[in-house]
Each structure stands twice: as C-alpha cells, then as structure tokens.
Amino acid sequence: CIWHPPPRAGCTWLVYAFDGDGGNTLLSFSRPTKVRIAAAEEARGGRRALALPPLPRDVSWLSTGRFVVKGIMPQALAALASVHEAGLAHRVLSPASIQLGAKTGMNKNVALEYCDPSMLSVKFSDFGRATPLDSVDTGALGGGLALVSQDLRALGIIFLQLLLGALAETVTVDPDTNLPQPLPRPPPVTGADLVRQLALFDDRIAGDSGTFSEFCRGEDAWCKVVALLDADNGSGWEFIELLVGAPSALRDDVALSLRSARGIASHPFLKTQAIERVSRGSDLDSPKAKLFGLFDW
C-alpha cells in the first residue's frame, strides 16, 4: 500500500471482516452459538460492507457437538502430536492460538458457518516461545517430557473451556411451569477460571464427590455437557483427565507414552455416539434434564 496515495475522503472501503473478538480462532468459538451471533452483530455495529463473511449460523446443539468432539478436538490433538513429533513443545497454547479454517479447496466460511467437521482444518499459531525438546536439561524432572505434559494439560483446559462454552445451554426450565426460559447469559468460562476451579479439586476431574464434575453438575447451562461427558461410563471425563492430569502422571512415573497427543487422539470419546443421544434427551437422567433434550437449540 505504500505505492498508493492515501484514500480520498468519502470513498468506499471494502471490508472483509471485523476481527475484534478472536476471529476464526477457538477463542471466538468457545461460546454458545447465540452469544457468538450477538457478538458478531455488535462488532459490525450495523455497518454495511461488501464481501463480509456470513454471520455464524444458529445451528443446533447436535451440530455444534459433532463439530467440537469429532472435528476440533481430534484435529487439535493431531496438530499437537505433529508439533511434539517434530521435536518441539509449544508452551503457550491458548484458545487464541488455535486457528479454525477449511481444508484445501474448501470454503472456510461454509465450514464454520455450518459447523461441518468434514471440511474443518485446525492449525496452531503463536510459536514464539516454542522450545526444542532436546534442549531441556535432562536432569530436570521429566526433561523434555515435562514440556510435553504441560502442552497436554493446556490443551485439556482448552477443551474444557470449549465444551463448557460452545455447548452451554441458553435456556433453563421454569420449575413452576416446566417450560423453557431463556438464561440471561450462560456462565462465562475462561482458562484462568478453570485453572482455579481445578486447583480447588486438586485436579480430580470425575467421581462422586469433591470433584470438578460435581461442580459442573450444579449449573443448568451445562446439563447436556455433563450428560455427554458422563455417557459410556464417563468416557468424556476420562478423556479430559488424561490431558489435564498429564503432569501428575509424569510425577507419578506413569508412562507418558500412554498420554501422548497421538495416543489420546484415538480415545473412544472422540468417536462417541452419545452426542446424538444427549441431543434427543435419551441420555439425560433428571426430568429437568430430559426437558432440555426436547429443545435442541
């Protein structure tokens, strides 16, 4: 642009996107669909522009669930596995450093608008603090494996943020009428919030009492998320625990090879059929939860 004069006053601008809240990253996607739509509309501020990508489509909980569990999660694990197998640790993984796009030759806007996992491509960015695994002092606990385990934990917290954000319900049930009522706003979830909560439970994810899963059961907006993670004998909680607990496994001399990103990418949770059952309400236990299943927003 340095070879062109400044634009004249009053001329028309061609704006492709207003990128004020994370753009096409996991940071932007880790919120309920209706919240993302409202944020996108607010960012545009009623301004008219040419060639803008479409607003997020108000897809069902079922479509979003498939996109998250069968699209984003396995591809993010595969991306992290590629980083580690190249001899690097990322070290600063966050939702903002996970880019959502489309496979070669496919339309990114369509892939994200319709939440189509078959079109999705996930890539990492922000490698400014990446560290070669063979440069770590082998005398330190775990050496390079310690950095691998920290990446795994970071990705586990990101996945929790994604599940509790993107799959949060935007309605509740009126206890008097048993009819759906809109929630003012699903509970905000940030990585810092989750780290604090996990610390309160000593990183114990699942169990009958004193665990993070018990904390999640107390929030109506997470009714379907909890049911999804509970399905198939708690397969989802086990999946999250493998990631979040990776540093503890290293300290306890558990073979980290069992918790590599490549190994965890084959976990049964990522192939679960429970998403369909939960969306229909057949895997929801309480009457209130079953009512959630009747309204698949």
Side-chain angles (χ1 to χ4, degrees), residues 155-219:
L155 191 60
I157 292 171
I158 290 168
F159 284 172
L160 270 178
Q161 184 175 349
L162 177 62
L163 288 163
L164 298 177
L167 297 183
E169 290 286 82
T170 54
V171 298
T172 188
V173 177
D174 187 306
D176 297 322
T177 64
N178 279 341
L179 293 175
Q181 298 290 331
L183 287 167
R185 178 178 280 266
V189 182
T190 67
D193 293 333
L194 292 173
V195 169
R196 285 192 293 269
Q197 288 294 339
L198 288 167
L200 291 176
F201 299 108
D202 295 324
D203 280 0
R204 286 177 294 128
I205 302 295
D208 294 332
S209 62
T211 61
F212 182 79
S213 60
E214 183 184 35
F215 159 72
C216 294
R217 294 179 204 284
E219 182 57 61

Short mmCIF file of all heavy atoms in Angstrom, two decimals, residues 155-219:
data_model
loop_
_atom_site.label_atom_id
_atom_site.label_comp_id
_atom_site.label_asym_id
_atom_site.label_seq_id
_atom_site.Cartn_x
_atom_site.Cartn_y
_atom_site.Cartn_z
N LEU A 155 -3.93 -28.12 26.62
CA LEU A 155 -4.96 -28.47 25.65
C LEU A 155 -6.20 -29.03 26.35
O LEU A 155 -7.33 -28.78 25.92
CB LEU A 155 -4.42 -29.48 24.63
CG LEU A 155 -5.30 -29.72 23.41
CD1 LEU A 155 -5.52 -28.43 22.62
CD2 LEU A 155 -4.69 -30.77 22.49
N GLY A 156 -6.01 -29.79 27.43
CA GLY A 156 -7.16 -30.30 28.18
C GLY A 156 -8.00 -29.17 28.76
O GLY A 156 -9.24 -29.22 28.72
N ILE A 157 -7.35 -28.13 29.28
CA ILE A 157 -8.09 -26.98 29.82
C ILE A 157 -8.79 -26.24 28.70
O ILE A 157 -9.93 -25.78 28.85
CB ILE A 157 -7.12 -26.07 30.60
CG1 ILE A 157 -6.66 -26.80 31.88
CG2 ILE A 157 -7.77 -24.74 30.94
CD1 ILE A 157 -5.56 -26.10 32.63
N ILE A 158 -8.14 -26.14 27.54
CA ILE A 158 -8.78 -25.50 26.37
C ILE A 158 -10.02 -26.28 25.96
O ILE A 158 -11.07 -25.70 25.65
CB ILE A 158 -7.77 -25.41 25.21
CG1 ILE A 158 -6.68 -24.38 25.53
CG2 ILE A 158 -8.48 -25.06 23.90
CD1 ILE A 158 -5.49 -24.44 24.59
N PHE A 159 -9.93 -27.61 25.96
CA PHE A 159 -11.09 -28.44 25.60
C PHE A 159 -12.23 -28.26 26.60
O PHE A 159 -13.41 -28.22 26.23
CB PHE A 159 -10.69 -29.91 25.53
CG PHE A 159 -9.91 -30.29 24.29
CD1 PHE A 159 -9.34 -31.56 24.17
CD2 PHE A 159 -9.75 -29.39 23.24
CE1 PHE A 159 -8.64 -31.91 23.02
CE2 PHE A 159 -9.03 -29.74 22.09
CZ PHE A 159 -8.48 -31.01 22.00
N LEU A 160 -11.90 -28.17 27.89
CA LEU A 160 -12.94 -27.90 28.89
C LEU A 160 -13.62 -26.56 28.62
O LEU A 160 -14.85 -26.44 28.69
CB LEU A 160 -12.33 -27.90 30.30
CG LEU A 160 -12.28 -29.21 31.06
CD1 LEU A 160 -11.59 -29.01 32.40
CD2 LEU A 160 -13.68 -29.80 31.26
N GLN A 161 -12.81 -25.56 28.31
CA GLN A 161 -13.37 -24.24 28.01
C GLN A 161 -14.27 -24.31 26.79
O GLN A 161 -15.33 -23.68 26.74
CB GLN A 161 -12.23 -23.25 27.78
CG GLN A 161 -12.68 -21.82 27.53
CD GLN A 161 -11.52 -20.85 27.43
OE1 GLN A 161 -10.36 -21.21 27.73
NE2 GLN A 161 -11.78 -19.64 27.00
N LEU A 162 -13.88 -25.11 25.80
CA LEU A 162 -14.67 -25.26 24.59
C LEU A 162 -15.99 -25.96 24.88
O LEU A 162 -17.07 -25.52 24.45
CB LEU A 162 -13.85 -26.06 23.57
CG LEU A 162 -14.51 -26.41 22.24
CD1 LEU A 162 -14.88 -25.14 21.46
CD2 LEU A 162 -13.59 -27.30 21.40
N LEU A 163 -15.94 -27.06 25.64
CA LEU A 163 -17.16 -27.81 25.95
C LEU A 163 -18.13 -26.98 26.77
O LEU A 163 -19.33 -26.92 26.48
CB LEU A 163 -16.80 -29.10 26.70
CG LEU A 163 -16.12 -30.20 25.90
CD1 LEU A 163 -15.46 -31.22 26.83
CD2 LEU A 163 -17.13 -30.91 24.98
N LEU A 164 -17.62 -26.35 27.83
CA LEU A 164 -18.49 -25.59 28.73
C LEU A 164 -18.91 -24.26 28.15
O LEU A 164 -19.85 -23.63 28.65
CB LEU A 164 -17.77 -25.38 30.07
CG LEU A 164 -17.41 -26.65 30.84
CD1 LEU A 164 -16.64 -26.31 32.12
CD2 LEU A 164 -18.65 -27.47 31.18
N GLY A 165 -18.22 -23.84 27.10
CA GLY A 165 -18.60 -22.59 26.43
C GLY A 165 -19.49 -22.83 25.23
O GLY A 165 -20.66 -22.46 25.22
N ALA A 166 -18.97 -23.51 24.21
CA ALA A 166 -19.71 -23.70 22.96
C ALA A 166 -20.96 -24.54 23.15
O ALA A 166 -21.96 -24.36 22.44
CB ALA A 166 -18.81 -24.33 21.90
N LEU A 167 -20.94 -25.50 24.10
CA LEU A 167 -22.08 -26.39 24.27
C LEU A 167 -22.95 -26.03 25.47
O LEU A 167 -23.83 -26.80 25.86
CB LEU A 167 -21.59 -27.84 24.41
CG LEU A 167 -20.85 -28.41 23.19
CD1 LEU A 167 -20.50 -29.87 23.42
CD2 LEU A 167 -21.68 -28.26 21.93
N ALA A 168 -22.72 -24.86 26.06
CA ALA A 168 -23.60 -24.41 27.15
C ALA A 168 -24.99 -24.13 26.61
O ALA A 168 -25.16 -23.66 25.47
CB ALA A 168 -23.02 -23.15 27.79
N GLU A 169 -26.00 -24.44 27.41
CA GLU A 169 -27.37 -24.17 27.02
C GLU A 169 -27.70 -22.69 27.21
O GLU A 169 -27.14 -22.02 28.09
CB GLU A 169 -28.33 -25.00 27.87
CG GLU A 169 -28.28 -26.48 27.57
CD GLU A 169 -28.96 -26.82 26.27
OE1 GLU A 169 -28.31 -26.65 25.22
OE2 GLU A 169 -30.12 -27.23 26.29
N THR A 170 -28.60 -22.19 26.41
CA THR A 170 -29.02 -20.80 26.54
C THR A 170 -30.45 -20.70 27.06
O THR A 170 -31.07 -19.64 27.00
CB THR A 170 -28.92 -20.07 25.18
OG1 THR A 170 -29.64 -20.81 24.19
CG2 THR A 170 -27.47 -19.94 24.76
N VAL A 171 -30.98 -21.83 27.54
CA VAL A 171 -32.31 -21.82 28.16
C VAL A 171 -32.23 -22.57 29.48
O VAL A 171 -31.33 -23.37 29.71
CB VAL A 171 -33.39 -22.49 27.27
CG1 VAL A 171 -33.55 -21.77 25.97
CG2 VAL A 171 -33.06 -23.97 27.04
N THR A 172 -33.18 -22.30 30.35
CA THR A 172 -33.34 -23.05 31.57
C THR A 172 -34.80 -23.49 31.65
O THR A 172 -35.58 -23.20 30.74
CB THR A 172 -32.95 -22.22 32.81
OG1 THR A 172 -32.97 -23.07 33.96
CG2 THR A 172 -33.90 -21.04 33.02
N VAL A 173 -35.16 -24.19 32.70
CA VAL A 173 -36.52 -24.70 32.83
C VAL A 173 -37.19 -24.03 34.03
O VAL A 173 -36.64 -24.04 35.14
CB VAL A 173 -36.52 -26.23 33.01
CG1 VAL A 173 -37.94 -26.74 33.22
CG2 VAL A 173 -35.89 -26.90 31.80
N ASP A 174 -38.34 -23.43 33.80
CA ASP A 174 -39.11 -22.83 34.88
C ASP A 174 -39.63 -23.95 35.79
O ASP A 174 -40.37 -24.83 35.33
CB ASP A 174 -40.28 -22.03 34.30
CG ASP A 174 -41.01 -21.24 35.38
OD1 ASP A 174 -41.43 -21.85 36.38
OD2 ASP A 174 -41.17 -20.02 35.21
N PRO A 175 -39.27 -23.95 37.09
CA PRO A 175 -39.68 -25.06 37.96
C PRO A 175 -41.19 -25.12 38.19
O PRO A 175 -41.72 -26.17 38.55
CB PRO A 175 -38.94 -24.75 39.27
CG PRO A 175 -38.65 -23.29 39.22
CD PRO A 175 -38.46 -22.96 37.78
N ASP A 176 -41.89 -24.01 37.96
CA ASP A 176 -43.34 -24.00 38.18
C ASP A 176 -44.12 -24.50 36.98
O ASP A 176 -45.12 -25.21 37.12
CB ASP A 176 -43.80 -22.58 38.54
CG ASP A 176 -43.18 -22.08 39.83
OD1 ASP A 176 -43.03 -22.90 40.76
OD2 ASP A 176 -42.81 -20.89 39.90
N THR A 177 -43.67 -24.12 35.77
CA THR A 177 -44.42 -24.47 34.56
C THR A 177 -43.77 -25.60 33.76
O THR A 177 -44.38 -26.14 32.85
CB THR A 177 -44.55 -23.25 33.65
OG1 THR A 177 -43.23 -22.86 33.22
CG2 THR A 177 -45.21 -22.08 34.38
N ASN A 178 -42.50 -25.95 34.11
CA ASN A 178 -41.74 -26.93 33.32
C ASN A 178 -41.60 -26.53 31.86
O ASN A 178 -41.46 -27.37 30.98
CB ASN A 178 -42.38 -28.33 33.41
CG ASN A 178 -41.99 -29.05 34.68
OD1 ASN A 178 -41.01 -28.68 35.32
ND2 ASN A 178 -42.76 -30.04 35.05
N LEU A 179 -41.61 -25.23 31.62
CA LEU A 179 -41.43 -24.71 30.27
C LEU A 179 -40.05 -24.05 30.17
O LEU A 179 -39.52 -23.54 31.16
CB LEU A 179 -42.52 -23.70 29.93
CG LEU A 179 -43.94 -24.28 29.82
CD1 LEU A 179 -44.95 -23.16 29.59
CD2 LEU A 179 -44.02 -25.30 28.69
N PRO A 180 -39.47 -24.06 28.96
CA PRO A 180 -38.14 -23.46 28.82
C PRO A 180 -38.17 -21.94 28.99
O PRO A 180 -39.11 -21.27 28.55
CB PRO A 180 -37.73 -23.83 27.39
CG PRO A 180 -39.02 -24.05 26.68
CD PRO A 180 -39.98 -24.60 27.69
N GLN A 181 -37.16 -21.42 29.66
CA GLN A 181 -37.00 -19.99 29.85
C GLN A 181 -35.58 -19.62 29.45
O GLN A 181 -34.64 -20.36 29.76
CB GLN A 181 -37.24 -19.59 31.31
CG GLN A 181 -38.63 -19.88 31.83
CD GLN A 181 -39.67 -18.95 31.21
OE1 GLN A 181 -39.36 -17.83 30.84
NE2 GLN A 181 -40.89 -19.45 31.07
N PRO A 182 -35.39 -18.50 28.76
CA PRO A 182 -34.02 -18.13 28.35
C PRO A 182 -33.17 -17.78 29.57
O PRO A 182 -33.65 -17.16 30.52
CB PRO A 182 -34.23 -16.91 27.44
CG PRO A 182 -35.56 -16.36 27.85
CD PRO A 182 -36.39 -17.54 28.28
N LEU A 183 -31.93 -18.20 29.54
CA LEU A 183 -30.97 -17.78 30.56
C LEU A 183 -30.47 -16.39 30.20
O LEU A 183 -30.27 -16.09 29.02
CB LEU A 183 -29.79 -18.75 30.60
CG LEU A 183 -30.04 -20.12 31.22
CD1 LEU A 183 -28.88 -21.05 30.90
CD2 LEU A 183 -30.22 -20.00 32.72
N PRO A 184 -30.24 -15.52 31.19
CA PRO A 184 -29.71 -14.19 30.88
C PRO A 184 -28.41 -14.28 30.08
O PRO A 184 -28.20 -13.57 29.13
CB PRO A 184 -29.48 -13.58 32.26
CG PRO A 184 -30.36 -14.33 33.18
CD PRO A 184 -30.47 -15.71 32.62
N ARG A 185 -27.52 -15.17 30.49
CA ARG A 185 -26.27 -15.42 29.77
C ARG A 185 -25.63 -16.66 30.40
O ARG A 185 -25.53 -16.74 31.62
CB ARG A 185 -25.32 -14.22 29.87
CG ARG A 185 -23.97 -14.46 29.18
CD ARG A 185 -23.10 -13.24 29.25
NE ARG A 185 -23.46 -12.27 28.25
CZ ARG A 185 -22.89 -12.18 27.05
NH1 ARG A 185 -21.95 -13.02 26.72
NH2 ARG A 185 -23.27 -11.27 26.19
N PRO A 186 -25.20 -17.59 29.59
CA PRO A 186 -24.51 -18.76 30.16
C PRO A 186 -23.28 -18.32 30.94
O PRO A 186 -22.72 -17.25 30.67
CB PRO A 186 -24.10 -19.57 28.92
CG PRO A 186 -25.04 -19.11 27.86
CD PRO A 186 -25.32 -17.67 28.13
N PRO A 187 -22.87 -19.09 31.93
CA PRO A 187 -21.73 -18.68 32.75
C PRO A 187 -20.49 -18.50 31.91
O PRO A 187 -20.17 -19.35 31.08
CB PRO A 187 -21.56 -19.83 33.75
CG PRO A 187 -22.44 -20.92 33.28
CD PRO A 187 -23.42 -20.39 32.31
N PRO A 188 -19.79 -17.38 32.07
CA PRO A 188 -18.54 -17.19 31.32
C PRO A 188 -17.49 -18.19 31.78
O PRO A 188 -17.39 -18.51 32.97
CB PRO A 188 -18.14 -15.75 31.66
CG PRO A 188 -18.80 -15.46 32.96
CD PRO A 188 -20.06 -16.26 32.98
N VAL A 189 -16.73 -18.68 30.85
CA VAL A 189 -15.69 -19.66 31.16
C VAL A 189 -14.39 -19.19 30.53
O VAL A 189 -14.31 -18.98 29.33
CB VAL A 189 -16.05 -21.06 30.60
CG1 VAL A 189 -14.97 -22.06 30.98
CG2 VAL A 189 -17.39 -21.52 31.12
N THR A 190 -13.37 -19.01 31.35
CA THR A 190 -12.04 -18.67 30.83
C THR A 190 -11.05 -19.71 31.33
O THR A 190 -11.32 -20.46 32.28
CB THR A 190 -11.58 -17.28 31.30
OG1 THR A 190 -11.37 -17.32 32.73
CG2 THR A 190 -12.63 -16.21 30.98
N GLY A 191 -9.90 -19.74 30.68
CA GLY A 191 -8.87 -20.66 31.11
C GLY A 191 -8.47 -20.42 32.55
O GLY A 191 -8.24 -21.36 33.33
N ALA A 192 -8.37 -19.14 32.95
CA ALA A 192 -7.98 -18.81 34.32
C ALA A 192 -9.02 -19.32 35.31
O ALA A 192 -8.68 -19.83 36.39
CB ALA A 192 -7.79 -17.30 34.47
N ASP A 193 -10.32 -19.17 34.96
CA ASP A 193 -11.38 -19.70 35.83
C ASP A 193 -11.21 -21.20 36.04
O ASP A 193 -11.33 -21.70 37.16
CB ASP A 193 -12.76 -19.45 35.20
CG ASP A 193 -13.14 -17.98 35.11
OD1 ASP A 193 -12.62 -17.21 35.94
OD2 ASP A 193 -13.91 -17.63 34.22
N LEU A 194 -10.96 -21.90 34.95
CA LEU A 194 -10.87 -23.37 35.04
C LEU A 194 -9.64 -23.81 35.84
O LEU A 194 -9.71 -24.77 36.61
CB LEU A 194 -10.82 -23.97 33.64
CG LEU A 194 -12.13 -23.82 32.84
CD1 LEU A 194 -11.92 -24.28 31.40
CD2 LEU A 194 -13.25 -24.62 33.49
N VAL A 195 -8.53 -23.11 35.67
CA VAL A 195 -7.33 -23.45 36.44
C VAL A 195 -7.60 -23.30 37.93
O VAL A 195 -7.23 -24.15 38.74
CB VAL A 195 -6.14 -22.57 36.00
CG1 VAL A 195 -4.98 -22.71 36.98
CG2 VAL A 195 -5.69 -22.94 34.59
N ARG A 196 -8.30 -22.22 38.30
CA ARG A 196 -8.62 -22.00 39.72
C ARG A 196 -9.56 -23.10 40.23
O ARG A 196 -9.37 -23.63 41.33
CB ARG A 196 -9.26 -20.63 39.92
CG ARG A 196 -8.27 -19.47 39.84
CD ARG A 196 -8.90 -18.19 40.34
NE ARG A 196 -9.97 -17.74 39.46
CZ ARG A 196 -9.80 -16.90 38.44
NH1 ARG A 196 -8.58 -16.46 38.17
NH2 ARG A 196 -10.81 -16.53 37.68
N GLN A 197 -10.59 -23.43 39.44
CA GLN A 197 -11.53 -24.46 39.87
C GLN A 197 -10.85 -25.83 39.99
O GLN A 197 -11.08 -26.57 40.94
CB GLN A 197 -12.71 -24.55 38.89
CG GLN A 197 -13.67 -23.38 38.96
CD GLN A 197 -14.43 -23.34 40.28
OE1 GLN A 197 -14.54 -24.33 40.99
NE2 GLN A 197 -14.94 -22.17 40.62
N LEU A 198 -10.02 -26.16 39.02
CA LEU A 198 -9.32 -27.44 39.07
C LEU A 198 -8.40 -27.53 40.29
O LEU A 198 -8.26 -28.58 40.92
CB LEU A 198 -8.52 -27.66 37.78
CG LEU A 198 -9.36 -27.95 36.53
CD1 LEU A 198 -8.50 -27.81 35.28
CD2 LEU A 198 -9.98 -29.34 36.60
N ALA A 199 -7.78 -26.39 40.63
CA ALA A 199 -6.91 -26.37 41.81
C ALA A 199 -7.70 -26.63 43.08
O ALA A 199 -7.22 -27.31 44.00
CB ALA A 199 -6.19 -25.03 41.90
N LEU A 200 -8.93 -26.12 43.14
CA LEU A 200 -9.77 -26.35 44.32
C LEU A 200 -10.06 -27.83 44.52
O LEU A 200 -10.25 -28.29 45.65
CB LEU A 200 -11.10 -25.59 44.18
CG LEU A 200 -11.02 -24.06 44.26
CD1 LEU A 200 -12.40 -23.46 43.99
CD2 LEU A 200 -10.52 -23.63 45.63
N PHE A 201 -10.11 -28.58 43.40
CA PHE A 201 -10.41 -30.01 43.47
C PHE A 201 -9.16 -30.87 43.29
O PHE A 201 -9.27 -32.08 43.03
CB PHE A 201 -11.45 -30.38 42.41
CG PHE A 201 -12.76 -29.66 42.59
CD1 PHE A 201 -13.15 -28.66 41.72
CD2 PHE A 201 -13.60 -29.97 43.65
CE1 PHE A 201 -14.35 -27.99 41.88
CE2 PHE A 201 -14.80 -29.30 43.83
CZ PHE A 201 -15.18 -28.31 42.94
N ASP A 202 -7.98 -30.25 43.43
CA ASP A 202 -6.72 -30.98 43.27
C ASP A 202 -6.67 -31.76 41.96
O ASP A 202 -6.14 -32.88 41.89
CB ASP A 202 -6.50 -31.95 44.44
CG ASP A 202 -6.33 -31.20 45.77
OD1 ASP A 202 -5.74 -30.12 45.75
OD2 ASP A 202 -6.82 -31.71 46.80
N ASP A 203 -7.24 -31.16 40.92
CA ASP A 203 -7.24 -31.75 39.57
C ASP A 203 -8.01 -33.06 39.49
O ASP A 203 -7.85 -33.83 38.53
CB ASP A 203 -5.82 -31.97 39.04
CG ASP A 203 -5.20 -30.69 38.50
OD1 ASP A 203 -5.89 -29.65 38.52
OD2 ASP A 203 -4.05 -30.73 38.05
N ARG A 204 -8.85 -33.36 40.48
CA ARG A 204 -9.69 -34.55 40.41
C ARG A 204 -10.89 -34.21 39.53
O ARG A 204 -11.74 -33.39 39.89
CB ARG A 204 -10.13 -34.99 41.81
CG ARG A 204 -8.99 -35.66 42.59
CD ARG A 204 -9.37 -36.04 44.00
NE ARG A 204 -9.64 -34.85 44.80
CZ ARG A 204 -10.74 -34.65 45.51
NH1 ARG A 204 -11.71 -35.55 45.50
NH2 ARG A 204 -10.91 -33.56 46.22
N ILE A 205 -10.97 -34.86 38.38
CA ILE A 205 -11.97 -34.50 37.38
C ILE A 205 -13.30 -35.17 37.65
O ILE A 205 -14.35 -34.52 37.69
CB ILE A 205 -11.48 -34.86 35.96
CG1 ILE A 205 -10.15 -34.16 35.66
CG2 ILE A 205 -12.53 -34.48 34.92
CD1 ILE A 205 -10.23 -32.66 35.58
N ALA A 206 -13.29 -36.49 37.80
CA ALA A 206 -14.54 -37.25 37.90
C ALA A 206 -14.60 -38.01 39.21
O ALA A 206 -13.59 -38.30 39.83
CB ALA A 206 -14.66 -38.21 36.72
N GLY A 207 -15.82 -38.32 39.62
CA GLY A 207 -16.04 -39.07 40.86
C GLY A 207 -17.34 -38.62 41.50
O GLY A 207 -18.03 -37.72 41.00
N ASP A 208 -17.68 -39.25 42.60
CA ASP A 208 -18.97 -38.98 43.22
C ASP A 208 -19.00 -37.68 44.00
O ASP A 208 -20.04 -37.03 44.12
CB ASP A 208 -19.36 -40.14 44.17
CG ASP A 208 -19.61 -41.42 43.40
OD1 ASP A 208 -20.01 -41.32 42.22
OD2 ASP A 208 -19.38 -42.50 43.96
N SER A 209 -17.89 -37.30 44.61
CA SER A 209 -17.89 -36.09 45.42
C SER A 209 -16.51 -35.44 45.40
O SER A 209 -15.50 -36.10 45.17
CB SER A 209 -18.29 -36.41 46.88
OG SER A 209 -17.35 -37.29 47.47
N GLY A 210 -16.51 -34.14 45.67
CA GLY A 210 -15.26 -33.41 45.73
C GLY A 210 -14.49 -33.38 44.44
O GLY A 210 -13.26 -33.37 44.43
N THR A 211 -15.19 -33.36 43.31
CA THR A 211 -14.52 -33.38 42.00
C THR A 211 -15.03 -32.25 41.12
O THR A 211 -16.08 -31.65 41.38
CB THR A 211 -14.76 -34.71 41.27
OG1 THR A 211 -16.17 -34.87 41.06
CG2 THR A 211 -14.23 -35.88 42.08
N PHE A 212 -14.29 -31.99 40.06
CA PHE A 212 -14.69 -30.94 39.13
C PHE A 212 -16.01 -31.27 38.46
O PHE A 212 -16.83 -30.38 38.21
CB PHE A 212 -13.59 -30.75 38.07
CG PHE A 212 -13.89 -29.67 37.08
CD1 PHE A 212 -13.69 -28.34 37.40
CD2 PHE A 212 -14.38 -29.97 35.82
CE1 PHE A 212 -13.98 -27.33 36.50
CE2 PHE A 212 -14.67 -28.97 34.91
CZ PHE A 212 -14.46 -27.65 35.25
N SER A 213 -16.26 -32.54 38.17
CA SER A 213 -17.52 -32.92 37.52
C SER A 213 -18.70 -32.59 38.42
O SER A 213 -19.76 -32.18 37.94
CB SER A 213 -17.52 -34.41 37.16
OG SER A 213 -17.38 -35.22 38.31
N GLU A 214 -18.54 -32.75 39.73
CA GLU A 214 -19.62 -32.42 40.66
C GLU A 214 -19.92 -30.92 40.60
O GLU A 214 -21.08 -30.50 40.63
CB GLU A 214 -19.23 -32.83 42.07
CG GLU A 214 -20.33 -32.59 43.10
CD GLU A 214 -19.88 -32.91 44.51
OE1 GLU A 214 -18.69 -32.67 44.82
OE2 GLU A 214 -20.71 -33.36 45.30
N PHE A 215 -18.88 -30.11 40.51
CA PHE A 215 -19.06 -28.66 40.36
C PHE A 215 -19.87 -28.34 39.10
O PHE A 215 -20.78 -27.51 39.13
CB PHE A 215 -17.69 -27.98 40.31
CG PHE A 215 -17.67 -26.62 39.69
CD1 PHE A 215 -18.21 -25.53 40.35
CD2 PHE A 215 -17.12 -26.43 38.43
CE1 PHE A 215 -18.20 -24.27 39.76
CE2 PHE A 215 -17.09 -25.18 37.84
CZ PHE A 215 -17.63 -24.09 38.51
N CYS A 216 -19.58 -29.03 38.00
CA CYS A 216 -20.28 -28.76 36.74
C CYS A 216 -21.76 -29.12 36.82
O CYS A 216 -22.60 -28.49 36.16
CB CYS A 216 -19.62 -29.52 35.59
SG CYS A 216 -17.95 -28.97 35.20
N ARG A 217 -22.09 -30.13 37.61
CA ARG A 217 -23.49 -30.58 37.71
C ARG A 217 -24.39 -29.54 38.36
O ARG A 217 -25.61 -29.59 38.23
CB ARG A 217 -23.57 -31.88 38.51
CG ARG A 217 -22.90 -33.05 37.84
CD ARG A 217 -22.98 -34.32 38.68
NE ARG A 217 -21.89 -35.22 38.31
CZ ARG A 217 -21.87 -35.95 37.21
NH1 ARG A 217 -22.90 -35.91 36.39
NH2 ARG A 217 -20.85 -36.74 36.92
N GLY A 218 -23.80 -28.57 39.03
CA GLY A 218 -24.60 -27.57 39.70
C GLY A 218 -25.07 -26.44 38.81
O GLY A 218 -25.77 -25.53 39.27
N GLU A 219 -24.72 -26.48 37.53
CA GLU A 219 -25.07 -25.39 36.62
C GLU A 219 -26.01 -25.89 35.53
O GLU A 219 -25.66 -26.77 34.76
CB GLU A 219 -23.78 -24.82 35.99
CG GLU A 219 -23.99 -23.67 35.05
CD GLU A 219 -24.72 -22.52 35.72
OE1 GLU A 219 -24.18 -21.98 36.70
OE2 GLU A 219 -25.83 -22.18 35.25
#
